[in-house]
Amino acid sequence: MASRARVRAPELVGKGGWLNTGGNDLTLSDLRGRIVILDFWTFCCVNCLHVLDELRELEERHRDSVVIIGVHSPKFVHEAEHQAVVDAVERYGVEHPVLDDPELATWKQYAVRAWPTLVVIDPEGYVVAQHAGEGHAHAIGKLVEELIAEHTAKGTLRRGDGPYVPPEPVATDLRFPGKAVRLPGGTFLVSDTTRHQLVELAADGEQVLRRIGTGERGLGPDTFNEPQGLALLPDGTVAVADTVNHAIRLFDPATDALETVAGTGKQWWQGSPTAGPAREVDLSSPWDLAWWQDRLWIAMAGVHQIWTYDPADGTVAVAAGTTNEGLVDGPAAEAWFAQPSGLAAAGDRLWIADSETSAVRWIEREADGDADAPGDGYVVRTAVGTGLFDFGHRDGAAGQALLQHPLGVTALPDGSVAVADTYNHALRRYDPASGEVTTLATDLREPSAAVLADDDIVVVESARHRLTRLRLPEEAVRVESVAHRTQRAATDIAGGTLRLDVVFQAPAGQKLDTRYGPSTRLLVSATPPELLADGAGAGTDLARDLLLADGVAEGVLHVSAMAASCDDDPDIEYPACHVHQQDWGVPVRVTEGGAARLGLVLAGLDAE
């Protein structure tokens, strides 16, 4: 086995304390003799949720020798609240210990720069690998097997039960519901996300009439996997965004029939088809749905895009977005989104809750647009929101108003839009006529969607596990303005030329796949764009010199990297290949004496 650099793992500290340990605090010395995988995550991040699912099989297979520790490192202010972390751990079925690190103490100790990041610690307490982004489960699985063999031979591996202690279950009719739709008879169909079911509630929004699904994870005729968005179709059936199954399902309330109409059950990766027969194209965490202009529109949160499903010919296609994460308006094919999570159709506009940019946006057809194909002739515009790192609770003119990670939008009868402002625990309203943002209600708990019911609006209060009926007020509530920027400290860099190195080391037994051309990709941009005088754009090398412009003192470098590696064995006729990818948003500050090199680890260890 190849020798590795040995770096002692820093201690695990977090002001919020430990979850899923039965009240016990853990230290690295308690875990000595076990292989430890640190998963740096934050619950707003869909890529982090993907990694949670990627790790489930590894966690089960090596439960006696591997301990996964979630280190929760918040981006948004709400994510620094301890109860919010407790809720998220249950909501997403996390079955390992979690350290709540609201001040990013452990994040800084491990020099983490992105969510998600995985760090592997060997049984003797040394860091042996670091991986940023998704797609690393196979590589980490191979490394774990090597470490088990090595430390079994050395006598330093300690097998046995891990420190995970499951929390006590809580009895409620719903558990972290995601979205809701009102059926023609006046009842409500709700995605009971954490219990992997749909639930029909009576017109009062409280009495349970029936449950759809067994409650077990699966992609079968009676199973879901963390369903979210729902959309009533013209024929009376309901489309379901079966999020963790990466699929669109169709439920018939009249017959209870459930079928899959789009998706393969596998997650979409760069290079996969982006259009074609719906059952043959991979999807990625569809989060919400809306019927608009004779198609089903899909908020594809996992790849920062909007897709469509056309039931007339049974096809899916990308309609808007490039897969780059950020806030860029313009022609649909060139726009950037960041985890779109809510949709609402209203006349000639499709409203979008773009959660990671804390924004409300919309798609409409250009005045002279010709929409022969999904996305053609459409344009994306922003009503509220400025980018990935600005958020808060501020009413007033839309250009300066702030939201915090909204997950839902609802078209109101007067042409305005209600916004489920999830991390502000509020229902907000944007009025296109006046260009004003107001607050309709506060003291909600993580509202994730809302649906109209006559003169009322029924809010999905996800973290209170219920639907809450509100009278639509004639006048909005005013709240004291609060503005935030991300808590992450800026990286000090020197002016002039900055060397950007994305570190990628192919897993053992694999090599970069160059059979069909370059197997790596690097895309660089900045906010503001004026930060970079040269070096922005796409390329195939994972290293690049960036030229910083004079007179711009701070900003954010956006770096997206991808590498594909395959089995390195000439005797294997069809080698298995794996895609590794990550997006970084690195706040930087230009200072005298700052670093002249920025190293970002995609996979491996940064020797510098």
Side-chain angles (χ1 to χ4, degrees):
M1 183 170 163
S3 61
R4 301 186 184 91
R6 289 170 61 83
V7 178
R8 177 65 73 177
E11 191 52 82
L12 305 177
V13 293
K15 190 174 181 180
W18 288 89
L19 303 169
N20 284 356
T21 62
N24 298 315
D25 292 342
L26 299 180
T27 66
L28 285 177
S29 62
D30 297 329
L31 303 171
R32 196 63 47 80
R34 312 296 288 274
I35 299 164
V36 177
I37 301 173
L38 303 182
D39 176 15
F40 289 86
W41 70 299
T42 190
F43 62 79
C44 72
C45 163
V46 71
N47 310 91
C48 299
L49 304 185
H50 291 166
V51 168
L52 284 175
D53 289 306
E54 287 178 4
L55 292 176
R56 291 187 199 279
E57 182 182 352
L58 175 69
E59 187 170 30
E60 183 60 35
R61 189 180 345 126
H62 297 294
R63 194 172 287 278
D64 68 336
S65 53
V66 172
V67 175
I68 297 177
I69 302 287
V71 182
H72 188 270
S73 313
K75 171 187 175 182
F76 291 98
V77 169
H78 170 60
E79 293 173 311
E81 297 177 14
H82 182 68
Q83 185 57 48
V85 181
V86 173
D87 289 344
V89 167
E90 180 188 352
R91 182 194 301 268
Y92 297 116
V94 179
E95 296 183 353
H96 51 248
V98 173
L99 175 64
D100 180 10
D101 183 18
E103 296 177 347
L104 305 181
T106 297
W107 164 288
K108 295 171 186 174
Q109 283 287 93
Y110 281 82
V112 174
R113 295 185 182 275
W115 298 277
T117 291
L118 298 169
V119 175
V120 182
I121 302 172
D122 73 12
E124 295 178 290
Y126 290 92
V127 174
V128 292
Q130 181 170 326
H131 301 264
E134 304 177 51
H136 302 294
H138 175 79
I140 291 176
K142 296 280 287 185
L143 175 59
V144 163
E145 291 173 359
E146 292 178 1
L147 290 172
I148 288 174
E150 175 185 353
H151 288 275
T152 297
K154 291 175 64 175
T156 49
L157 183 71
R158 176 170 57 90
R159 297 181 182 270
D161 293 335
Y164 169 66
V165 179
E168 290 293 325
V170 181
T172 54
D173 288 333
L174 301 173
R175 206 68 193 162
F176 298 105
K179 307 287 185 181
V181 66
R182 197 180 189 207
L183 298 178
T187 61
F188 297 93
L189 191 66
V190 184
S191 55
D192 197 16
T193 305
T194 296
R195 291 196 176 127
H196 316 297
Q197 293 179 318
L198 306 183
V199 176
E200 185 178 359
L201 300 178
D204 62 6
E206 297 181 12
Q207 180 187 357
V208 175
L209 301 179
R210 59 174 166 166
R211 295 182 181 275
I212 298 95
T214 64
E216 300 295 322
R217 293 180 186 267
L219 185 59
D222 55 0
T223 54
F224 300 93
N225 198 343
E226 297 184 24
Q228 286 282 349
L230 305 169
L232 185 65
L233 302 187
D235 64 0
T237 59
V238 177
V240 183
D242 199 358
T243 303
V244 179
N245 275 329
H246 309 295
I248 305 300
R249 319 292 294 283
L250 206 60
F251 170 67
D252 187 342
T255 65
D256 283 355
L258 178 66
E259 64 172 319
T260 301
V261 295
T264 64
K266 297 179 181 179
Q267 184 184 339
W268 186 94
W269 288 99
Q270 290 288 350
S272 300
T274 57
R279 289 297 309 275
E280 299 174 15
V281 177
D282 297 338
L283 308 181
S284 183
S285 296
W287 209 275
D288 202 12
L289 306 168
W291 182 259
W292 186 58
Q293 300 196 348
D294 298 323
R295 289 188 178 100
L296 184 68
W297 292 68
I298 306 166
M300 203 71 75
V303 286
H304 318 299
Q305 291 180 315
I306 307 295
W307 289 41
T308 61
Y309 165 66
D310 186 349
D313 60 11
T315 60
V316 292
V318 174
T322 64
T323 75
N324 296 321
E325 184 178 14
L327 194 156
V328 176
D329 288 341
E334 301 172 13
W336 292 20
F337 296 93
Q339 247 173 265
S341 301
L343 298 177
D348 59 358
R349 290 185 177 183
L350 179 69
W351 293 100
I352 303 164
D354 201 28
S355 63
E356 280 292 287
T357 54
S358 298
V360 173
R361 308 174 73 185
W362 80 87
I363 294 176
E364 64 183 357
R365 187 172 295 183
E366 294 183 279
D368 57 351
D370 180 12
D372 291 332
D376 287 353
Y378 288 90
V379 64
V380 176
R381 306 191 192 280
T382 297
V384 185
T386 59
L388 287 165
F389 298 98
D390 295 293
F391 52 91
H393 193 151
R394 180 192 288 156
D395 289 332
Q400 57 85 50
L402 294 173
L403 309 169
Q404 187 179 179
H405 199 78
L407 290 178
V409 280
T410 306
L412 300 181
D414 64 357
S416 65
V417 183
V419 183
D421 193 6
T422 309
Y423 288 1
N424 279 328
H425 309 300
L427 189 68
R428 313 285 293 283
R429 175 177 177 264
Y430 166 66
D431 183 358
S434 66
E436 291 283 312
V437 174
T438 50
T439 298
L440 296 176
T442 57
D443 194 31
L444 301 169
R445 186 70 186 170
E446 292 191 19
S448 55
V451 60
L452 293 176
D454 302 321
D455 294 329
D456 297 336
I457 188 165
V458 177
V459 180
V460 180
E461 259 196 289
S462 188
R464 283 202 177 111
H465 320 293
R466 70 187 189 191
L467 302 189
T468 298
R469 185 180 293 263
L470 303 173
R471 182 70 65 176
L472 279 172
E474 294 183 4
E475 295 184 0
V477 178
R478 277 271 177 183
V479 299
E480 185 177 348
S481 296
V482 178
H484 301 292
R485 282 187 65 82
T486 180
Q487 297 184 57
R488 293 172 59 192
T491 297
D492 289 334
I493 57 175
T497 299
L498 176 69
R499 180 66 172 178
L500 172 65
D501 285 324
V502 174
V503 177
F504 178 77
Q505 297 161 1
Q510 294 195 356
K511 65 178 181 179
L512 289 173
D513 177 20
T514 57
R515 292 172 297 168
Y516 308 108
S519 61
T520 56
R521 186 190 70 168
L522 180 65
L523 177 68
V524 180
S525 62
T527 303
E530 295 77 21
L531 176 65
L532 289 179
D534 191 33
T540 58
D541 292 335
L542 293 182
R544 185 182 301 178
D545 287 331
L546 308 179
L547 181 61
L548 302 169
D550 293 334
V552 182
E554 61 180 4
V556 178
L557 288 175
H558 302 282
V559 180
S560 177
M562 185 272 288
S565 60
C566 295
D567 290 337
D568 185 14
D569 187 340
D571 294 332
I572 299 177
E573 184 176 1
Y574 301 106
C577 297
H578 304 273
V579 176
H580 315 261
Q581 64 184 48
Q582 173 63 3
D583 297 328
W584 291 267
V586 184
V588 295
R589 181 173 52 229
V590 181
T591 60
E592 186 177 350
R597 175 184 177 273
L598 177 62
L600 302 175
V601 177
L602 179 60
L605 292 173
D606 189 357
E608 299 183 43

